[in-house]
Amino acid sequence: MTKSAARARLFEIIRDRSFGYGEITLASGRKSNFYFNLKPTMCHPEGAALLAELTYDALRDDTLDYVGGLEMGAVPLAGALAQLSWLKNHPIAAFFVRKKPKEHGARLAVEGLAKGETLEGKRIVIVEDVTTTGGSAVKALEAVREAGGEVVLVFTMVDRDEGAAETFAKAGVAFRSLYKAGEFLKG
């Protein structure tokens, strides 16, 4: 499948499984009359494969060591991308950042790293399913920076175009997306 055919097919899956109209309160606290819930797409066999493939294609020239982000949205994306990167002989390891460190066990904020493994000095992309203002991804970005990692990019599947680009520009991090919300609002 060509990249444009894959992008068109993924658009259909997101539109059918993950996009809708109706009043909703977003993670940012804002109200909206449309929403994206990408979990049904990320958990769909073809949707997961296409998300990983298109994200891998978008990131493969960025010389990355790790991909990760804030739970829950980043977890399936980072895992699928790590697996695909291994199959393509260009491994990018995955991790995720807890919204709140566990109150038992190792009490880690960053999960998925083996004992002795760190993000120190590593090039990292933060991934997110849907981005509105960027607040959720900033939490992951801050945790990675605290761990000594270098966030080189925030990459989202759908940018709602409601301030995230400005948020990441202020944070000094590049921001890109697979889709813009406006693409789904046209039809």
Side-chain angles (χ1 to χ4, degrees):
M1 182 181 297
T2 67
K3 184 177 174 182
S4 63
R7 192 177 190 288
R9 176 62 185 135
L10 180 58
F11 180 91
E12 290 175 9
I13 294 170
I14 292 172
R15 183 194 63 217
D16 295 345
R17 295 180 62 85
S18 297
F19 172 73
Y21 288 98
E23 175 130 346
I24 190 164
T25 302
L26 306 168
S28 66
R30 295 180 184 188
K31 301 274 188 206
S32 179
N33 65 349
F34 68 93
Y35 63 89
F36 292 91
N37 173 7
L38 254 63
K39 279 69 170 180
T41 296
M42 294 187 294
C43 291
H44 181 269
E46 186 182 12
L50 290 171
L51 281 167
E53 186 70 43
L54 290 169
T55 301
Y56 176 81
D57 285 346
L59 301 176
R60 73 172 165 221
D61 296 330
D62 288 310
T63 318
L64 301 168
D65 298 304
Y66 285 89
V67 58
L70 196 64
E71 66 174 333
M72 175 68 217
V75 174
L77 296 169
L81 185 60
Q83 179 184 14
L84 181 62
S85 73
W86 175 259
L87 294 173
K88 298 227 180 219
N89 237 4
H90 187 124
I92 303 168
F95 69 91
F96 71 92
V97 175
R98 289 186 177 279
K99 291 179 182 171
K100 184 175 132 186
K102 287 192 324 186
E103 295 182 13
H104 61 281
R107 299 182 174 156
L108 300 172
V110 176
E111 292 277 6
L113 306 179
K115 187 175 182 177
E117 185 178 9
T118 72
L119 298 179
E120 182 94 26
K122 303 297 185 186
R123 291 177 51 85
I124 297 162
V125 62
I126 299 295
V127 290
E128 195 167 46
D129 53 353
V130 180
T131 306
T132 303
T133 62
S136 295
V138 165
K139 291 176 186 171
L141 187 149
E142 289 170 349
V144 167
R145 285 180 171 167
E146 283 178 28
E150 177 193 358
V151 177
V152 296
L153 174 68
V154 174
F155 190 82
T156 188
M157 304 309 108
V158 179
D159 177 11
R160 288 181 56 97
D161 255 339
E162 294 183 32
E166 295 81 4
T167 297
F168 298 121
K170 286 179 190 170
V173 178
F175 175 62
R176 299 195 314 250
S177 65
L178 274 180
Y179 301 97
K180 301 280 190 182
E183 296 175 68
F184 294 89
L185 296 170
K186 292 177 185 174

